[in-house]
Amino acid sequence: VAWIKRMFGLSKAGHGGTLDPKVTGVLPVALEEGTKVIGLVVHTGKEYMCVMQLHRPVPEEELRRAINMFVGEIYQRPPLRSSVKRSLRLKKIYEIELLEYNGRYALMRVFSEAGTYMRKLCHDIGLILGVGAHMRELRRTRSGPFRERNGLVRLQELSEAIYRWKQEGKEDLLRKYILPIEYAVSHLPKIVVRDTAVDAIAHGANLAVPGIARLHEGIKRGDLVALL
């Protein structure tokens, strides 16, 4: 984030969810006014590709049985090397898929609630199996609406895009890499407001039915929505 601020000469930038040291993958970074909505991305689901190393081999069926025990709500205490208080927390794991296993290493795809530690998940699976295990490698492939497969940008590519814009006046790469702020709320249900109601809402008025042009079905009281 500090590098990106320096590259663009920005006053504000913020990221959507910390990546531990040596972990690679998706890290959404918001620029200037975009920092106001990055909190919505921080608290969305995350998907990981995780390599777990077992300290002793176990049969694959036994491993699958242990992994399945961690799908759903689990108790988790953050590891020693973490940026949060080490208190017991309730977290939700939506899916764990065992992709490959060779007796020593297990490659897993994990989709979980924000703030779930994969390092601790591997350790706890090792405890259940009775052989011990640790996280060998981790890559985040999804953070809320941002996915690795649609447009992961490296810092080097961003630097080259800025150079191209400044030296050649071409902004095509910057437009490809920097997404509109609306993308950060693409996972939320939407309410589209009529032009005539925008000014009143911007000044604190409540939104009434005549001011709505269209909206998603199934929005309930207390839901978080995007107003467009």
Side-chain angles (χ1 to χ4, degrees), residues 1-13 29 31-32 155 158-159 162 165-166:
V1 173
W3 285 336
I4 288 171
K5 276 174 74 174
R6 204 174 307 140
M7 279 184 203
F8 285 98
L10 300 173
S11 60
K12 279 191 298 184
V29 177
L31 312 179
E32 296 288 3
L155 282 175
L158 202 55
S159 169
I162 293 169
W165 169 55
K166 285 182 176 174

Side-chain angles (χ1 to χ4, degrees), residues 1-2 4-5 8 10 12-20 23-32 34-48 114 139-155 158 177-187:
V1 173
I4 288 171
K5 276 174 74 174
F8 285 98
L10 300 173
K12 279 191 298 184
H15 64 76
T18 309
L19 283 176
D20 282 354
V23 177
T24 61
V26 178
L27 181 71
V29 177
L31 312 179
E32 296 288 3
T35 54
K36 292 177 179 175
V37 297
I38 197 67
L40 302 174
V41 178
V42 172
H43 300 296
T44 53
K46 309 283 190 280
E47 187 180 73
Y48 298 91
R139 182 166 185 83
R140 187 156 70 195
T141 53
R142 177 182 168 192
S143 179
F146 300 96
R147 296 168 184 263
E148 181 182 50
R149 65 173 177 264
N150 30 328
L152 194 68
V153 184
R154 294 174 177 82
L155 282 175
L158 202 55
Y177 297 155
I178 301 175
L179 301 170
I181 200 168
E182 288 85 356
Y183 201 92
V185 296
S186 59
H187 59 294

